[in-house]
Amino acid sequence: MATARKGRELFTILETSADTESSTERHGRDSPLNLSADVKWFEIANRIKPDSDEEDEGEAGEVEDGEEGENGLGGGGGGGAAEAADAASLIAGGGCNIILVTGSAANGIVKHDDEDYGDYSTNCSDTTSNDSDIDFSDLEEEEEERGSFFSLEEDLDPDCAAADFWGEPDQVISIEPFSAVCGPQHSLGDEADTRDYFRILFPDSLFEHMVEQTNNYALYRQRRSGKSDPHWHPTDVREMRAYVGLNILMGINQLPDTGMYWASDIFIGNAGFKKTMTARRFEKLTQYLQLCDRETEPGRGERGYDGLFKIRPLLDVVENTMWDAYAPNRCLTIDQSAIVTKRRFSPTQCVSPKPLRKGLTVWMLCDSRSGYCHRTKIYVGKPSEDKTALTLGYRVVTSLVRGLERQYHHLFMDSFFTSVPLLQRLLRDGLYACGPTQPGRKGYPEVLRPRNVGKLCQGEFYQCQRGNLVATVTRDVKMVSCLSTNSAPGIVGISPGQQQQQDADRDGESDSLDSSCLSFGVTRPLPLLLYQENMRGVDLCDQLRECYQVGRPCKKWWRYFLWFYVNLCIVNAYIITRESRGGTPPAGFNGKQFAQRHFRMRLAQQLIGDYQGARGMERAARKRHADSPIEYGHRLERMSERSRRCRNCTNKGLRHESVFGCKICNVHLCRGGCFSEFHK
């Protein structure tokens, strides 16, 4: 451990040289949590909170004037320019690759300042009251009655808003080591293929359930209408697998309209789709696809009503399989994911700061490294009471982390969730957390609020502490307020700027440091460094999921969730395959790199298998037995009361209609020689 001094102790260097320490030591016991290799970090001695507005103004003046002296405002970029330059030269002279820069322009993580916090508050879920077949109001009330697990009052420290609740940032925090089993949990061998990994998350019992409910729903619809559907016949498991496989392939080979996959144009139509099933059969399966028993569905206002009744069988299975197939790693991310819809539904949420501003919202708990999704929670509409709305983020987090108590995971979340009561609750449950917060929330230190801190220089920060709970306010690109229970106070880090990395890539053999051509990043407190490095799990999952969509736009809200969970199971199965096989592709794959595209194509092909619908089988039968069609059941008989175009005449460019035809081939034919000519 080396120490840099200039009249007084400026900071303590914790990483002295890149040549003497390996990457494994950097991530060891004394290293901050999950920092990338290019982040160099050091510790500042005794960063304290401001005592008054007058002291803030005085200290800010010292920074602007460049006067040399002791700065007690706890800024990572605080101190005079000469003092910082002297410290930087001292570090560089001692062989250390850490340079302290004040007021430098670099690429920082973009956070919301206090003006943006109002747009992204707990009440930002702007719902629309439009025509929809779903109402989540009763479901929200049922969740409120479940018990004290979601209770905020019992976890709120009555003194968190008191003036003496927060103290100086000089206390030692205690972080228990993470020792739980993590990673994929299955018994598949090296011979396992993509369908075997997908079956872990989406078992065959779900296909059987979909077949049963689809057949029942088709009969239910026909009974209600009083008419039979002549184009419908019961489906089976093989056909349902093929139907899902075709929907997966539609996400890879995207066309604007479903019927184009069966087009006769050789440049647009897909021969594989035509061989698997007809376009009409695909439409009928889409029309009658169902997951629940509609006859036993409780009505709105009745006992046992469930707003998610239509997808409840899917949720009960998939939520358990996703949780059991992959044990959570140390660092986890909680964030919002949106499902883009073409129509307007009552649970649609509008969040302006997000890239997808409007859609069906699902909160996700994902692994920070791989992006594996462990658990989800569907947004069920705007709460009816203001008190419930204020605790929405609290209830979401506590429900997502159920089962992780006393395993000492590190959770990273955004300002929608982070609050003092939530972090206190998680800390009591043996879970550490970190994330930005809204400075106006109850419990956040009054002295760290923007009106009391004043204008900060880039990289300057203040901190307050109470046990493991540390509150931080800093200026990166914008003002950022942060709460954490896994970060020691007084530690800041700095990342190389883009110019430095580009110069190092172009001239890697040069060992000299030329300050005129190097650009360094902005110093950031440790909570922001950890947040930047680990708040990416849901984004990784969304990137993998959004590359290839499954399913088509429709009018029913629950089908968006059906294809969302099918797509999510594919992404999770791909992650399990990649980590279980160590990058080795399954047997029979000839490519060099087994990407997600290859995984989806292989999975779809295995789901379809050798299945051929009635049209494909009859085409093969006609080709094998064209010499004697009558021997194999093909005969000319009356098809319907309404005449339709003769298929054989249509193929020759003629237009003749007939009520007769071949029922096995399901085509109309003229009573003349068209029957024999068509079957030849």
Side-chain angles (χ1 to χ4, degrees):
M1 182 179 297
T3 304
R5 296 178 180 274
K6 186 179 184 301
R8 63 182 180 85
E9 187 178 33
L10 293 177
F11 46 78
T12 302
I13 304 301
L14 299 183
E15 186 179 33
T16 57
S17 176
D19 300 330
T20 59
E21 294 189 65
S22 62
S23 60
T24 57
E25 293 173 344
R26 184 179 295 113
H27 293 281
R29 178 177 55 85
D30 296 331
S31 175
L33 177 72
N34 279 8
L35 291 181
S36 60
D38 60 343
V39 177
K40 306 304 176 185
W41 56 284
F42 49 87
E43 184 175 3
I44 295 180
N46 193 15
R47 302 291 90 190
I48 62 176
K49 67 180 185 298
D51 294 333
S52 63
D53 296 341
E54 291 77 5
E55 292 183 5
D56 294 344
E57 297 174 358
E59 295 291 349
E62 293 180 4
V63 174
E64 294 174 357
D65 297 337
E67 297 180 1
E68 186 175 2
E70 185 170 352
N71 186 0
L73 286 181
E83 184 181 64
D86 191 8
S89 62
L90 178 59
I91 301 173
C96 178
N97 56 359
I98 308 172
I99 298 179
L100 177 63
V101 182
T102 60
S104 61
N107 295 326
I109 54 176
V110 179
K111 303 299 173 193
H112 304 287
D113 56 11
D114 50 348
E115 297 178 356
D116 294 334
Y117 285 135
D119 298 333
Y120 191 46
S121 64
T122 54
N123 295 324
C124 67
S125 53
D126 191 8
T127 58
T128 56
S129 301
N130 302 295
D131 294 338
S132 174
D133 56 349
I134 181 172
D135 183 12
F136 290 113
S137 58
D138 295 340
L139 181 63
E140 191 71 26
E141 294 176 0
E142 291 178 4
E143 289 190 354
E144 286 301 311
E145 298 173 357
R146 287 183 181 177
S148 61
F149 185 82
F150 297 109
S151 177
L152 174 64
E153 288 75 9
E154 64 181 16
D155 295 321
L156 180 61
D157 194 324
D159 299 330
C160 67
D164 57 347
F165 180 81
W166 295 94
E168 302 292 338
D170 53 3
Q171 308 171 35
V172 178
I173 68 172
S174 174
I175 300 180
E176 297 292 335
F178 175 76
S179 59
V181 178
C182 56
Q185 305 293 317
H186 60 82
S187 57
L188 298 178
D190 296 337
E191 69 282 355
D193 213 328
T194 54
R195 184 181 169 186
D196 299 320
Y197 290 102
F198 180 72
R199 190 183 288 116
I200 298 176
L201 299 158
F202 203 92
D204 293 337
S205 59
L206 269 180
F207 285 108
E208 297 173 358
H209 181 80
M210 292 170 64
V211 168
E212 178 184 0
Q213 298 303 329
T214 299
N215 291 331
N216 294 341
Y217 182 66
L219 298 176
Y220 169 76
R221 286 285 301 273
Q222 294 177 40
R223 286 197 303 267
R224 288 192 60 182
S225 63
K227 300 179 181 179
S228 61
D229 191 343
H231 302 294
W232 169 257
H233 59 84
T235 183
D236 54 18
V237 176
R238 292 184 65 238
E239 187 178 38
M240 186 60 66
R241 289 201 194 100
Y243 173 76
V244 175
L246 292 181
N247 277 277
I248 296 174
L249 291 176
M250 287 180 178
I252 300 175
N253 181 22
Q254 299 182 12
L255 293 176
D257 185 72
T258 306
M260 298 179 68
Y261 293 97
W262 286 269
S264 58
D265 193 326
I266 60 175
F267 297 103
I268 298 178
N270 191 302
F273 280 65
K274 299 176 184 178
K275 180 181 178 181
T276 303
M277 66 178 62
T278 63
R280 175 177 291 176
R281 183 59 178 172
F282 186 88
E283 293 174 359
K284 287 299 174 181
L285 289 174
T286 303
Q287 177 183 351
Y288 294 117
L289 181 64
Q290 197 63 230
L291 295 174
C292 65
D293 187 0
R294 294 296 300 274
E295 296 185 11
T296 61
E297 180 180 5
R300 189 172 302 164
E302 297 181 2
R303 183 177 182 182
Y305 172 75
D306 184 4
L308 299 176
F309 181 84
K310 293 182 176 64
I311 59 172
R312 183 61 63 187
L314 175 70
L315 294 178
D316 293 341
V317 175
V318 173
E319 290 287 352
N320 292 330
T321 56
M322 290 195 308
W323 185 258
D324 297 336
Y326 194 103
N329 287 311
R330 183 186 190 187
C331 296
L332 302 173
T333 303
I334 298 177
D335 202 358
Q336 170 186 304
S337 180
I339 305 174
V340 181
T341 62
K342 295 293 185 180
R343 296 180 65 86
R344 302 170 68 182
F345 304 109
S346 61
T348 301
Q349 188 179 27
C350 181
V351 182
S352 56
K354 294 293 183 179
L356 300 176
R357 297 191 174 186
K358 194 171 185 179
L360 300 173
T361 298
V362 180
W363 289 293
M364 304 170 65
L365 173 68
C366 295
D367 184 79
S368 297
R369 289 291 181 181
S370 63
Y372 182 92
C373 179
H374 297 281
R375 187 173 281 167
T376 60
K377 183 176 178 60
I378 298 176
Y379 172 70
V380 293
K382 187 175 182 180
S384 56
E385 299 180 3
D386 295 339
K387 183 178 179 181
T388 305
L390 295 175
T391 62
L392 177 60
Y394 180 92
R395 294 184 296 106
V396 168
V397 174
T398 51
S399 63
L400 288 176
V401 301
R402 185 187 292 116
L404 298 179
E405 293 80 1
R406 298 301 170 188
Q407 296 185 20
Y408 308 111
H409 292 274
H410 293 251
L411 307 176
F412 297 89
M413 61 197 80
D414 62 12
S415 59
F416 181 82
F417 308 100
T418 310
S419 63
V420 172
L422 176 61
L423 266 64
Q424 288 178 321
R425 165 64 184 271
L426 295 175
L427 189 61
R428 284 200 298 268
D429 290 341
L431 297 171
Y432 305 102
C434 176
T437 187
Q438 301 175 21
R441 283 183 173 169
K442 184 177 181 180
Y444 191 78
E446 183 68 26
V447 294
L448 297 187
R449 298 190 177 185
R451 63 176 179 271
N452 296 326
V453 172
K455 186 176 181 180
L456 300 180
C457 299
Q458 195 171 27
E460 188 179 7
F461 69 96
Y462 305 138
Q463 289 182 320
C464 293
Q465 183 181 7
R466 180 182 176 87
N468 268 42
L469 185 60
V470 177
T472 306
V473 60
T474 184
R475 181 176 182 84
D476 192 81
V477 177
K478 297 181 179 180
M479 290 290 294
V480 182
S481 299
C482 182
L483 290 173
S484 63
T485 56
N486 59 353
S487 307
I491 298 181
V492 299
I494 183 171
S495 302
Q498 285 187 350
Q499 184 66 31
Q500 179 184 2
Q501 294 178 349
Q502 294 173 359
D503 294 343
D505 294 339
R506 280 197 305 267
D507 191 13
E509 67 278 1
S510 177
D511 295 332
S512 61
L513 287 175
D514 186 3
S515 59
S516 62
C517 65
L518 297 183
S519 174
F520 299 97
V522 180
T523 56
R524 301 188 184 98
L526 181 58
L528 265 67
L529 287 175
L530 298 182
Y531 179 83
Q532 181 185 21
E533 289 294 320
N534 298 280
M535 187 61 186
R536 57 185 179 183
V538 177
D539 294 335
L540 289 175
C541 184
D542 286 343
Q543 288 175 8
L544 294 173
R545 184 176 56 85
E546 292 291 341
C547 288
Y548 309 100
Q549 290 289 344
V550 179
R552 308 292 297 185
C554 57
K555 299 180 180 179
K556 300 180 179 180
W557 64 268
W558 63 267
R559 292 195 178 179
Y560 285 98
F561 288 113
L562 166 62
W563 297 123
F564 169 81
Y565 280 102
V566 171
N567 204 359
L568 195 60
C569 289
I570 296 174
V571 171
N572 285 347
Y574 170 69
I575 295 174
I576 293 177
T577 304
R578 185 178 57 189
E579 295 193 7
S580 301
R581 304 184 67 89
T584 304
F589 179 74
N590 300 323
K592 296 182 179 180
Q593 184 180 5
F594 191 67
Q596 183 190 189
R597 179 181 70 257
H598 306 125
F599 180 89
R600 288 177 179 265
M601 294 174 60
R602 193 178 182 91
L603 173 62
Q605 293 170 359
Q606 292 179 359
L607 288 175
I608 296 173
D610 57 351
Y611 176 79
Q612 292 183 1
R615 180 68 60 85
M617 290 187 293
E618 292 308 321
R619 283 178 177 173
R622 289 200 306 267
K623 187 175 182 180
R624 291 193 303 267
H625 312 296
D627 296 335
S628 55
I630 299 179
E631 180 181 350
Y632 294 93
H634 297 263
R635 57 179 53 88
L636 186 67
E637 51 188 322
R638 194 178 189 89
M639 293 283 291
S640 62
E641 297 296 332
R642 180 181 177 183
S643 62
R644 297 184 181 275
R645 295 185 64 176
C646 172
R647 178 64 61 84
N648 188 61
C649 295
T650 302
N651 294 340
K652 295 187 296 184
L654 304 176
R655 182 181 180 89
H656 293 96
E657 294 186 355
S658 174
V659 295
F660 296 93
C662 179
K663 287 190 175 181
I664 294 182
C665 299
N666 195 25
V667 294
H668 285 250
L669 298 168
C670 296
R671 300 187 64 179
C674 289
F675 177 82
S676 300
E677 186 178 350
F678 175 79
H679 286 88
K680 289 181 180 180

